[in-house]
Every structure is written in structure tokens, then in C-alpha cells.
Amino acid sequence: MSDSKNKKGWSRRKFLVRSAVGTGVVLGTAYLTRPVQKRSLAQIANTIEPPYQGFTNDPTIWFEILADNSVLLYSPKVEMGQGIFTSLAQMAADELEVDIKRIKVLHAPSASGNMDFFSTGGSTSISSLWVPLRELGATMRQMIMEETARIWNIPSDQLTVSDGIISDGSRTITYGEVVAQTTEWKIPKTPKLKDISKYKYIGQPIPRVDLEDKVMGAPIFGMDATMPDMVFGAVVRPDTIGATLDHIDLGGVADMPGVIQIVQEPDFVGVVATSRMEAELAKEAIKVTWKAERNWQLSDIQEMVRVGKGTAVTVQKKGSPKRILDNEDDVLQSEYTSPAGAHAQLEPNGALAFVEEDRATIYMSTQVVRLSREEIAQRLGLKSKQVNIIPTFLGGGFGRRLYTPNAIQAAVLSKAVGKPVKCFFNRKEEFQNDLFRPPTHHIMRGKLDKQGNILAIEHHLSSGDVTYGSPLLPKAITSFVGSDAGAWRGGMIQYHGIPNHRAISWHVKLPFATNYWRSLGLLANTFAIESFMDELAEKAGKDPVQFRLAHIQDDKAGKRLKAVIERAALEANYSNEVMKGRAMGFAASTDVNTPCAQVAEVSMENGMIKVEKVTCVMDPGISVNPDQIRAQCEGSIIMGLSASLYEQMTVVDGQLQPTIYGPYRMALMRDTPKEINVVLLQNDDKPGAVGEPPLGPVGAAIANAIYRLTGTRARDMPIAMV
Amino acid sequence: MNIELTVNGISNQIDVNENTPLLWVVRDMLNLKGTKFGCGKAACGACTLHIDGEAVRSCSYPVKNAIGKEVTTIEGLSSEGQIHPVQQAWIEEIVPQCGYCQPGFMMTTAALLEKIPNPTDADIDANITNVCRCGTYYRMRKAIHRAALLKQQNT
């Protein structure tokens, strides 16, 4: 395999080996690849997140081998439903040579040092750990084998290993036994990784390792965390955009049942009580008046997000698209919009924090362990190492937990009362303090040549912040790139065979926060581009599938894209005809190098669009766990369908609304397609992005199907009623 | 006030404001964390548990109303040594992703199967109205049909 490195060795400084109290041995390393500064800034911006970066020069803990021969794997990436713990266990088990049942995957607390420099996000967890984790597993296996050879005083090549039990043909010893009697370790060169055909777990649809906990209701989430003597906090927050505190009346609140303390800080007021309900009631009883400079309405926001307003950056250009589109006749132009969308993950944001004199312990659902730690340390005046973030399973991520200031508030409240404080948003706060998917406006222009091929095409995108203003990316990166790379994710023209094409990203600053939402700009941008491709195909009088294929270049990325498009058309038996009240729509996109094509089949039920079936063909490269990749496709399709058909945040008299499920209409069981057919191709020799790419085509595929069914082109999300 | 509350077959003496939502009593006083807080307004179903066999959204159900009744949470759905067919089906179909909303769905499904042992797709659409953000509905529907089958085989 190309990525197998036989020559590399781990220095003692980088490969930590130490005995753990009472358990076994802890093995780890500072797995440092190229320093982040030397990576291409544009590359980081484009994929949002670079490959896995070790964070520190200090040794970091990856594995712990226990006396019973089980293995703890400390993950620097968090499990938010995307299934990575299962894939990591598969990768570790195959190189460690242990039964996957012996491996327990845990979230690495920040005190272990095993943190990702950036986040869990950007669909990069498995691709970024693909080489490092297997190399660590292989190195550890080799290290234990060589130690066994020393104990038995025979050459290590006479040893075999199976399920963590080493044998020389006549006797056996377990990893756990070797570990128990070894104090001085010698670190071997990293062995050659196994050939992929030899893997027992990688490539198999292994059931999720967290399946039983999640089915039996185990207390694994941030909101489930408890500590002795724990109390509850609530924080007063404005419900109006841009509001600042005018007057606060705490009269009587301190005497309310259960109230322990009212905490007034320069930037917020909180209350701590003995129960969640008492804290909430006390918070509600605090009389606050806010002042806001402006009474925002939805129409104000919609007027701001228009192509032509704000600043523009050309993010892609080939040939002379502007000259052609400005001067030629018969240019097709269409506009599309998408609204602000909420994350609406089921577990609210919050934390359980216990701040003591010289340390802080924080249990929380976070996608940014390092950033959460730095922010809390800074606020408390502690050193980073004095703050231990213990990540829990996330009750949904979707990008919402890339920014976690509410954990700071829990920590401040804990410091004030000297007890562990659990402080979580209620649902109204969760909606109103979300960092939304930004509203967008798109203008597409296209010109056909005499043969009905596209001569020139351009995509103008206007969006609120995605990466701009985010504490996740250093300012240097956004200013270097000069545009909001998150906003234009999926916004470039993937049909490189078109001789003249360009994409222009317009940026506008909105009065409320917008940020990362699963797949960032991909859903809205693909909605615009892939709807417009169908419009151009119709104008050219061509089949939309063949029309797309005709404009894709024959480079590697183009070939992979063509393959998913051709297979999707075949799998779905794609047709432009309306049959039995059903019509099909086609769309394709490439995200983080993973191409995905989808066919949506829709019907009309009581004047409402119903998505009957979705066919999804994706090429993520190597599928470490095909079942969980299918699950990500199914989930992305339903989330994308929900956002495309139903979801919309509005602004009414300065308030972001709705603030509750139901009025914030999302796809439910009844809206879910009865058939979702996922086909996985593999035209790459490594695992690629999975968690976001299948969100790309959903909206456009549905809109294109709606057009075939009704003759009406849906250009504004949400598109449930046309 | 002091109340007696029976949860998963165990009787508990609790000193609590009688208007406290049952959800917080179960989670924070009895330390049964499987019942989740989602919205606090009975809109998402994450807090669904059983009261005398009926699916109830416990975030909006005062604890006083549960006095003298049998409360069952996800932790008590399976009986000793016998996994509940709904949970078995959820495992076989590998339904959960993040997993947070799943106990509410399983409790809702278990109650549904007591009333409609073999639900049609239309029955499922009409009765399963909880919210899942990961989009596991597709596998859930399969799991609900499978659970109905398992339940019939068991009896």
C-alpha cells in the first residue's frame, strides 16, 4: 500500500509508554504530521478542516491495555452519531490483532493530551486518522511482540499473534500479561501496514460499538453527567436580536424556593438553584428590560442577503464567462434562495462544570475540545492544563457544537458557588441562540452554444457568515483566503468541461449569528447549481443526466463524478416521464472529494409534495464501515429533505422564531421516503468524507422532480408547497 | 411535599414540589437518565415514558399526577433477562445514530404495539410523531415492523 511506511520510527520522546496505576500500560504518542502553519491555508479553508493534527509536543494517550487483555482506545474525535467510534475500533482491531469486542472506545479527556487541534467536523475524522491510528496500532502490536521475544528469549519472527494472544507454537501469553511484567519498553520502527485484503474488520458492516448503550438508555450524554453535590444554573438571555441590558430587577428572586445564589457578571446574569426547575423559575422571575437599536423583520434580512450587496470575491474562474454572459443574447438567468435554518439537535447545549481553586472539570458535548478548554481557561484565569474537558457522547452535533460559550457560563456559576453546576439551555434559548445556517441568495447565468452545450456559466452566491467570525479558524486563514470558504462550499462549478465558468461569493454581515450547519453552504449551493443545470438541459432539449455527463472532464475527480452519476441513473431507472403520479429529479455534487448523485421520486398528496423514494450513489473511497456510511446517507437525505421542504427561521419584531419543534417544521416519520436505496462505489484507495457529502444533492433532486411533476420550478426553499 | 412514586416496579419516597415535571424527578432525583429532555413543551417526544402503559411526554406532566400509578422508563422496558422486542429490533436494525432521541421513540413504539400489535405504515406515520434530527426514521420504520414480528413470535 502506498501509505505504508516501513522506515518511520517513533522516538521515545514521542511514544509514551508508562505504567498506569492498577490497570496496565498506557501507550501513546504525539502523532505530529506537518505543522499546521506549513499547510496550504487555502486547503484548510477549502476543506474547512485539515487532516488530523496532533496538538501538543507532550506525549498523548491513545491506547491503554488492561490486565484482562482488553484495550481502551482514547479517541481525539467525538462521537455525535456519525459512527466513527465503530470505524476507529475496526481500524485499531485490525492492526492490533485483537477481537473488536475487546476494544472499548472512549472520548479522550483533554487532560490526556489527545486532542484534535481543530474539531470533530468537516467529514474528516476517518480519513484523517486512517494512517495514524493504524500505524499506532501496528507499532504497539510490534512493541508487545518484541517484548515477548525478549521475555522468552527467542527471535520475534518466531511469534504469531491472534486476538491479543501471542504464541511461539508451544506456549502463549496475552498482551495484558506482557504489559503487566514490563517496565522498560523499547519502541520499534513502525511495521508495514497490512494489505487491505487481509483486514478482518475494515470494510465490514460491523454493528455500532455504542449500539447497546444507546438502545438501553445508558447515561452517556453531556446532559446526563452528574457529580456529587451538583446544583443547577440558568442564565438570563435576551430574546431580541441585538438587545443589550437596559434594566434588571432582582427583587424577591433570592428568596425563591431552592435559590442558592444570583450571579452577576459583566456580560450575563445567572442564577443557581438546587433543581433545574427552581433555577428556571428563578430566572424567569428576574425582571429584565432590554434595549435594541432596531426592530428587525424577516424582510430586512432578505433585503440584506442579495447578490450585489456586500463584498464579492471570485472564488473560481476559467475562460471569459463574464464577457460572454454580459454581451451575448439568449442568456438564461435564474435566482434561488434558501432561508436561515436551525440545527435543532435534540440535546440542548450546556455543560456540567466544577471549578475548584486550581482546576476545572467540565463534562460537555462539544465538537471543539481544545477550543472549549482554552475559552474556559481564559475566562477563569487558569492555565489550559488546569482545565480538563471530559467530552461526552453528543446528542447531535451538526456543527452546532463548534462554538460553546455556554460552557463558560456553567464554569463561572460553579466558581461562584463552589459546587458543580449543570447549566443547559431550554429549547427557546436553544433556538434563539443558535448559530444558524445562513440565508442565501443565488443568481445563476448560463449560455448554450449552437450544439446545445454550455458555453459559459456563473454562480453568484450571497450568504451570511459561515467561517467568518468563527473562533474555530484563525483570522489569518479567513483573511488570507479573502472569502468565506464555508459559505461557498459546494458553490464552485464542478463541470470543468464548460469552457467558461466562474463562481463569485458575496458576503454580508447579518445582525444575528450564522455559522456551521452540517455541510455548510453545500445544500443551498447545490440546490442552485443543480436546479439550474436542469433548466439549461431543458433549454438545450437534452436529457439531464447525459447533459451533466457531457460537461465533466476526464480527470480523476471527473471520472469518479461520472461514475456515481451513471450508476445513479441506472439504479433508479431514471426517466423524465411522469409515471403513476410520480416524477424523478436528478442532482449530483462533490464535497470534500466525495462525489454523490441522487435521484428523488416525488408525488403530490393533498397539495403537498411527498418524497417517495431516493436513490443515492456515493463514492467515499474505502468504506471502513459500509453500514454506517449507508446510515449517514439515509440521515443526510432526511435532514436535507427536511431543510429543503419545510424548515425556515423567520424574524418577527426582532425575535428569531419559531422557538419550538412543530412550529419549526421538520421532517417526521410521515415525511420520510419509504425507500432509500444507497449504493457505495469505491474509486479511491483511501477512505474519504462521508458525513456531509450526501446532503448536497437532496434539495436540487427534489426540486427537479417537482418541476417534472407540476411544471412549476421551485427556486425558493422551503419548497413543500409549490 | 413527600410523595410515593413507583418507577420500574420500585417504590420511591420523594420530597419534591408536586408540580415538578415528572421528567426531572425521574432524571435528577431517581437518577434514571434514559428519559431525555428535548423541548420541555411536549413537542418532540424525547421524554416519553409509560404511565400505566400509556406513552406520556413527561416534560409536561406534573409528578403529582403519577402518584399511585406505574411509571416505566427505558431502563425498565426490558424485564430481567428478557430484552424487550422493541429494543431487540432496534439493535437488529442498527437504528441509533447520536442516540439521544431513541429512548423516547422506543417507549412510544412499545406503547403503540400494545394497542396495534401489527401496525401498518399509515399507523406508524400517524402515531410516531417524535423528532429525530439524525434522520433515523427510515431504519426506525423497519425496526417497528420487526418489533411487531418479534413480539408476536414471543407470545
Side-chain angles (χ1 to χ4, degrees), chain A residues 3-300:
Chain A
D3 56 19
S4 301
K5 294 183 187 69
N6 211 10
K7 289 176 284 212
K8 182 161 31 177
W10 301 105
S11 73
R12 182 166 293 278
R13 187 178 65 81
K14 284 185 176 176
F15 208 106
L16 170 69
V17 183
R18 66 175 167 85
S19 295
V21 182
T23 50
V25 68
V26 174
L27 304 170
T29 176
Y31 191 97
L32 285 173
T33 52
R34 281 179 295 164
V36 63
Q37 298 87 334
K38 291 186 183 166
R39 298 190 61 80
S40 150
L41 292 175
Q43 181 190 351
I44 290 170
N46 188 28
T47 60
I48 303 311
E49 183 172 25
Y52 172 77
Q53 298 285 341
F55 171 59
T56 162
N57 282 316
D58 295 334
T60 55
I61 295 170
W62 283 86
F63 294 114
E64 193 169 339
I65 293 187
L66 306 185
D68 66 357
N69 213 25
S70 61
V71 179
L72 304 182
L73 164 56
Y74 290 95
S75 170
K77 299 280 189 179
V78 298
E79 176 60 65
M80 47 192 176
Q82 79 280 44
I84 58 162
F85 272 22
T86 309
S87 298
L88 298 180
Q90 291 174 261
M91 284 150 60
D94 267 329
E95 284 295 346
L96 272 173
E97 280 289 355
V98 295
D99 191 305
I100 196 167
K101 290 195 177 66
R102 288 189 194 278
I103 296 183
K104 173 95 178 157
V105 188
L106 302 169
H107 289 101
S110 68
S112 75
N114 197 357
M115 275 182 291
D116 194 275
F117 184 83
F118 284 94
S119 71
T120 304
S123 300
T124 56
S125 293
I126 296 306
S127 57
S128 67
L129 290 173
W130 172 243
V131 174
L133 181 58
R134 288 181 306 140
E135 287 191 345
L136 283 162
T139 307
M140 192 162 93
R141 179 194 74 223
Q142 185 66 24
M143 189 166 75
I144 297 171
M145 297 279 276
E146 291 185 6
E147 185 56 33
T148 304
R150 271 190 288 279
I151 292 169
W152 285 346
N153 200 21
I154 57 171
S156 65
D157 59 11
Q158 290 182 13
L159 300 175
T160 59
V161 60
S162 173
D163 189 17
I165 301 168
I166 300 164
S167 169
D168 68 352
S170 57
R171 55 193 159 164
T172 61
I173 187 167
T174 67
Y175 285 180
E177 288 164 348
V178 178
V179 160
Q181 56 185 281
T182 304
T183 51
E184 282 290 311
W185 291 92
K186 206 176 155 197
I187 295 156
K189 285 194 190 314
T190 299
K192 184 171 167 26
L193 295 176
K194 292 180 188 175
D195 187 87
I196 192 154
S197 64
K198 298 284 193 296
Y199 285 133
K200 190 169 149 193
Y201 299 111
I202 290 170
Q204 299 303 313
I206 305 290
R208 293 181 67 103
V209 293
D210 52 11
L211 186 54
E212 193 173 321
D213 276 352
K214 288 180 174 177
V215 169
M216 304 314 285
I220 57 174
F221 300 98
M223 208 175 184
D224 299 339
T226 58
M227 291 179 92
D229 212 17
M230 178 176 81
V231 292
F232 295 81
V235 171
V236 178
R237 291 187 172 82
D239 57 8
T240 304
I241 293 170
T244 51
L245 190 63
D246 185 31
H247 182 257
I248 188 158
D249 177 4
L250 299 169
V253 175
D255 299 327
M256 289 178 70
V259 171
I260 297 168
Q261 194 172 327
I262 297 167
V263 181
Q264 286 189 274
E265 289 283 317
D267 56 340
F268 73 93
V269 177
V271 57
V272 180
T274 51
S275 75
R276 158 99 181 184
M277 186 178 78
E278 288 161 334
E280 284 284 309
L281 289 174
K283 177 189 70 180
E284 298 296 330
I286 297 173
K287 295 178 207 62
V288 190
T289 49
W290 307 97
K291 54 183 178 202
E293 283 181 10
R294 187 166 169 182
N295 199 23
W296 291 96
Q297 307 293 343
L298 179 63
S299 55
D300 300 327

